[in-house]
Amino acid sequence: MRAAGIDCGTNSLRLLLVEGDDSGAPGTGTTPVPGAHSHPTPVELTRQLRIVRLGEGVDATGEFSAAALARTFAALDEYAGMIREAGVDPGHIRMVATSAARDVTNRDLFVAGVRERLGVDPTVISGDREAALSFAGAVRGLRVAGVKVAGPVLVTDVGGGSTEFALGDPDDEVRAPFVASLDIGSVRLRERTLPGDPPSQAEIIATRDVIDRALDASGIDFAAVREWVGVAGTVTSLMAVHLELSTYERDRIHGARMPLPALRSLADEFCARTIADLRRIPSLHPKRAEVITAGAVILERIARRLDVPGLLVSETDLLDGAADWALRGD
């Protein structure tokens, strides 16, 4: 059985093709997490990433621009070809759309374009569901890699439009943990409070204030956290820079830990550099250089609230949860 999971975020569009069985079902519990694994780990066939900036300008206009939709649909055309070539039945395709798709008034144009290319509608998931799927994907992936995760664990996904948090027991991934979704994302803050190149000190201070106020109101018990796990592009990109990789190496990033002082230093360094400077970093995707500074500041403000050994990075996340959901076909 082959399946395709697609994660459509504010900044990136990702595809995961897997092969496995569909005999599993979510484990028992008061609140099953869609995408939680209860059957053998699927075999990964291909994992793809395209930076499409679907959410570009959404914070200001409230709608997808024609250019952003065109970039996204062009990437989806590529993915649709890969899915057909892999022989995936439409019943085993799941596309989840997150923050940007939650915020727009012209979502129907997006949905129609996806349906035309994939034969299925995207599922626009809530921030809480996004956080729960990311928790399941991260915990499972680290366990498979032999990385021990202490609890309570806080899984954080810094996206383009929002940042998701899930706090729970790593040994009970099928129960929905405490989840929160905050409207602080790397694209949103870059456009709203951090437009300078490089940002001015006043912009940096204003951005920190926006993040701190959102964290204060989040209801997250930061004092209870014993392990902090970061997932998705902002976190993995920062780890690649921290490790001084000449090219992006997924195997070296998965399960690596960044000390909190190193994270704070990276955030300060990025704030002082122009986008052109950041694009010269060999392991950093050139299009991510436009928004990585805002993402680094978000992580730096979270780090100040935690007493943990460092930021543990997982290369498995929401996308893996979506692929597992596609494999089950429920």
Side-chain angles (χ1 to χ4, degrees), residues 79-263:
Y79 288 174
M82 296 177 193
I83 291 169
R84 286 193 299 270
E85 186 175 343
V88 177
D89 183 272
H92 291 280
I93 301 172
R94 294 293 181 274
M95 178 173 173
V96 295
T98 56
S99 177
R102 293 194 290 265
D103 298 341
V104 294
T105 57
N106 61 342
R107 187 192 303 172
D108 56 327
L109 294 177
F110 170 67
V111 171
V114 172
R115 185 188 305 123
E116 178 183 345
R117 287 159 175 84
L118 298 180
V120 299
D121 285 0
T123 300
V124 180
I125 58 175
S126 69
D128 287 356
R129 190 176 185 191
E130 181 181 353
L133 280 165
S134 293
F135 185 88
V139 168
R140 173 72 175 187
L142 289 170
R143 182 179 296 124
V144 168
V147 179
K148 183 172 176 58
V149 180
V153 57
L154 178 67
V155 174
T156 302
D157 178 353
V158 177
S162 62
T163 295
E164 274 63 51
F165 299 84
L167 177 62
D169 180 356
D171 295 323
D172 193 10
E173 67 184 80
V174 297
R175 291 177 185 270
F178 173 86
V179 292
S181 179
L182 309 182
D183 283 337
I184 48 172
S186 59
V187 175
R188 191 186 298 271
L189 293 186
R190 180 69 184 182
E191 294 178 353
R192 182 185 293 182
T193 64
L194 209 65
D197 187 22
S200 68
Q201 192 60 34
E203 289 173 349
I204 295 168
I205 291 171
T207 301
R208 288 171 178 166
D209 182 62
V210 168
I211 297 165
D212 287 342
R213 284 189 279 110
L215 294 174
D216 287 343
S218 67
I220 300 166
D221 185 3
F222 291 101
V225 177
R226 293 295 171 265
E227 186 77 87
W228 185 27
V229 174
V231 300
T234 293
V235 169
T236 57
S237 296
L238 286 172
M239 179 57 78
V241 176
H242 170 67
L243 294 175
E244 299 181 341
L245 301 180
S246 58
T247 58
Y248 192 90
E249 297 181 51
R250 188 170 184 267
D251 290 345
R252 289 189 60 186
I253 291 168
H254 187 55
R257 190 187 300 275
M258 186 190 308
L260 298 191
L263 173 58

